[in-house]
């Protein structure tokens, strides 16, 4: 039987083909906030998928509204339960970035906007399937989800992702790795806003007639930050504040924007209780906290551990030590893991610089991860 080393050799022999596909994909700008560009990008991906993998057994397109549309592709394979592959096609980079920062390869380093997060990941997934087909090895049925709003928190695509997860045996998320490590747990993310309303008055002539919204906001911020528990993996950060009108006016309104990260459902419940307890100090003022959980926690379950161990053992056959890690950032994998499905995240690029100008990948890492993805999919197809 063809092993992972043979799959790796086949992928290495197609290095230039993978790079050509990656260059063309990176060369199509897909900023999360530009629907027209996202539509063009998804059209290119659709045609490319049909060229590389053939016609899918079924395809479903979901209107993303003002966000990028979502496509779900089903490809035939062994077994009744498909393996779910998650790949977002949007990036954080604005239209026009390519003009000053084009796709470039210099030795083992390839760079360009969105290459690490996460356009390289989709190229890995597609060429992993091609490697299996070329070797004549069975693979499982595949369900591939492409969404164009991940960088915004997946507001339009979350229901489709959760529906696509139904009846699947495992999920591979081709987000970028963490210095080569796959991600077996991710924090949940809460996005909240605190609004304070007070009573305006002249700060010098009538100070007692006013009720400062800024004072109320400051008290609320102290209460919110006190909810942080680093030992439990919980952080609360009020990162943006605004309020008031003039220096000599007691503020009538103020607001803050809050980022919360938690490592467990229990901590999420504690934060909810703490947020609900925040009230105004002055009876003439009001303080309201709005918002909610953008992504649930991805906790390392036994099924996630088994999926990681499968990938780790296959990587060892390639002479690679595949590490696992927990990260504070979230992905679409959080949605699927919260439903109780095994998820292996960070299965994509080896490199660095997500959302930064030094964003890049290792070309050798791309070939290695593609072979590993092929081996994992083959093993899942044989179960």
């Amino acid at each position: 039987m063809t092993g992972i080393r043979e799959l790796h050799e086949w992928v290495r022999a197609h290095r230039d083909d993978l790079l050509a596909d990656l260059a063309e994909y990176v060369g199509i700008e897909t900023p999360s906030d530009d629907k027209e560009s996202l539509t063009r990008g998804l059209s290119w991906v659709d045609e490319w998928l049909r060229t590389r993998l053939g016609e899918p057994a079924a395809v479903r397109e979901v209107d993303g509204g003002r966000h990028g549309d979502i496509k779900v592709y089903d490809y035939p394979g062994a077994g009744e339960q498909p393996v779910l592959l998650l790949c977002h096609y949007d990036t954080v980079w604005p239209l026009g970035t390519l003009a000053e920062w084009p796709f470039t390869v210099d030795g083992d380093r390839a760079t360009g906007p969105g290459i690490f997060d996460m356009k390289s990941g989709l190229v890995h997934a597609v060429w992993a399937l091609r490697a299996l087909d070329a070797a004549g090895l069975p693979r499982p049925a595949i369900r591939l989800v492409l969404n164009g709003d991940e960088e915004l928190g997946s507001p339009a695509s979350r229901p489709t992702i959760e529906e696509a997860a139904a009846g699947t045996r495992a999920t591979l998320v081709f987000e970028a790795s963490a210095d080569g490590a796959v991600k077996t747990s991710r924090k949940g993310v809460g996005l909240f806003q605190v609004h304070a309303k007070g009573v305006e008055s002249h700060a010098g002539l009538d100070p007692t007639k006013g009720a400062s919204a800024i004072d109320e906001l400051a008290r609320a911020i102290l209460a919110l930050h006190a909810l942080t528990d680093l030992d439990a993996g919980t952080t609360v950060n009020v990162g943006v504040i605004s309020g008031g009108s003039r220096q000599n006016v007691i503020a009538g309104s103020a607001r803050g924007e809050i980022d919360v990260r938690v490592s467990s459902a229990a901590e999420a419940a504690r934060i909810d209780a703490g947020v609900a307890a925040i009230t105004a100090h002055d009876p003439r003022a009001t303080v309201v906290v709005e918002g909610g959980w953008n992504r649930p926690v991805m906790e390392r379950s036994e099924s996630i551990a088994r999926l990681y161990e499968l990938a780790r053992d296959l990587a060892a056959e390639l002479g690679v030590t595949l590490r696992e890690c927990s990260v504070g950032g979230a992905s679409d994998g959080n949605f699927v893991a919260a439903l109780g499905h095994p998820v292996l995240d960070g299965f994509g690029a080896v490199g660095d610089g997500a959302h930064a100008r030094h964003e890049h990948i290792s070309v050798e890492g791309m070939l290695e991860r593609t072979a590993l993805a092929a081996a994992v999919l083959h093993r899942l197809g044989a179960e």
Side-chain angles (χ1 to χ4, degrees):
M1 178 183 291
T2 302
I4 188 171
R5 289 184 179 275
E6 289 77 14
L7 289 169
H8 190 208
E9 287 304 312
W10 186 90
V11 172
R12 286 178 62 86
H14 290 80
R15 174 185 184 275
D16 291 347
D17 297 319
L18 270 76
L19 283 175
D21 280 357
L22 184 58
E24 193 168 357
Y25 188 21
V26 173
I28 300 170
E29 294 182 299
T30 51
S32 301
D33 57 357
D34 189 320
K35 180 65 180 266
E36 185 177 345
S37 296
L38 290 167
T39 300
R40 285 197 300 269
L42 184 56
S43 177
W44 180 88
V45 171
D46 181 77
E47 183 177 348
W48 174 68
L49 286 174
R50 294 172 192 273
T51 300
R52 291 287 178 257
L53 299 179
E55 291 297 317
V59 61
R60 180 164 70 100
E61 185 165 358
V62 180
D63 186 356
R66 62 190 180 91
H67 303 296
D69 294 339
I70 309 104
K71 278 200 169 185
V72 182
Y73 298 83
D74 279 294
Y75 294 94
E80 296 181 359
Q81 291 182 299
V83 172
L84 179 63
L85 310 182
L86 296 183
C87 298
H88 69 85
Y89 62 93
D90 62 316
T91 76
V92 300
W93 299 103
L95 200 62
T97 303
L98 272 172
E100 56 190 42
W101 181 22
F103 175 85
T104 305
V105 179
D106 183 6
D108 186 54
R109 180 187 176 105
T111 186
I115 192 171
F116 182 64
D117 186 13
M118 60 162 288
K119 291 190 171 182
S120 181
L122 179 57
V123 175
H124 296 189
V126 168
W127 279 89
L129 296 173
R130 285 178 62 82
L132 290 176
D133 291 344
L137 293 174
R139 56 176 170 85
I142 297 294
R143 180 168 297 155
L144 170 64
V145 176
L146 300 174
N147 61 319
D149 61 348
E150 192 276 342
E151 298 292 0
L152 303 175
S154 304
S157 60
R158 177 177 182 174
T160 303
I161 292 168
E162 292 175 336
E163 290 171 12
T168 58
R169 70 178 74 177
T171 297
L172 301 179
V173 185
F174 283 84
E175 288 278 6
S177 68
D179 193 26
V182 292
K183 302 160 187 179
T184 52
S185 64
R186 285 182 178 269
K187 290 186 178 182
V189 179
L191 303 177
F192 299 86
Q193 306 82 40
V194 55
H195 302 272
K197 292 291 184 183
V199 178
E200 290 186 336
S201 68
H202 194 293
L205 296 178
D206 298 306
T208 61
K209 290 184 178 180
S212 173
I214 287 178
D215 179 76
E216 295 293 345
L217 178 63
R219 294 172 188 270
I221 289 172
L222 291 175
L224 287 162
H225 281 184
L227 294 171
T228 290
D229 184 342
L230 296 179
D231 290 338
T234 299
T235 57
V236 180
N237 179 60
V238 182
V240 178
I241 61 172
S242 61
S245 57
R246 291 182 178 276
Q247 187 175 5
N248 61 350
V249 178
I250 291 178
S253 64
R255 70 185 301 273
E257 298 179 16
I258 312 158
D259 177 279
V260 182
R261 309 281 167 140
V262 295
S263 295
S264 69
E267 278 297 283
R270 184 180 69 84
I271 292 296
D272 284 337
V275 165
I278 292 175
T279 59
H281 173 74
D282 191 313
R284 296 172 295 170
T286 60
V287 176
V288 176
V289 181
E290 300 176 337
W293 295 99
N294 173 259
R295 285 192 173 94
V297 180
M298 174 180 163
E299 297 189 64
R300 188 183 187 273
S301 64
E302 289 185 8
S303 61
I304 286 177
R306 287 195 297 270
L307 188 55
Y308 160 66
E309 288 162 4
L310 168 64
R312 179 199 63 195
D313 293 347
L314 287 168
E317 293 181 21
L318 196 58
V320 174
T321 300
L322 183 67
R323 295 174 294 107
E324 64 173 315
C325 67
S326 174
V327 295
S331 82
D332 291 332
N334 290 55
F335 300 137
V336 180
L339 297 174
H341 299 290
V343 175
L344 191 58
D345 204 338
F347 210 57
V350 176
D352 195 15
H355 302 189
R357 284 282 177 167
H358 64 281
E359 182 174 8
H360 67 278
I361 68 162
S362 160
V363 176
E364 182 55 43
M366 176 178 69
L367 306 178
E368 182 183 282
R369 279 300 170 90
T370 299
L372 179 58
V376 169
L377 288 169
H378 170 55
R379 187 67 61 85
L380 289 172
E383 290 182 353

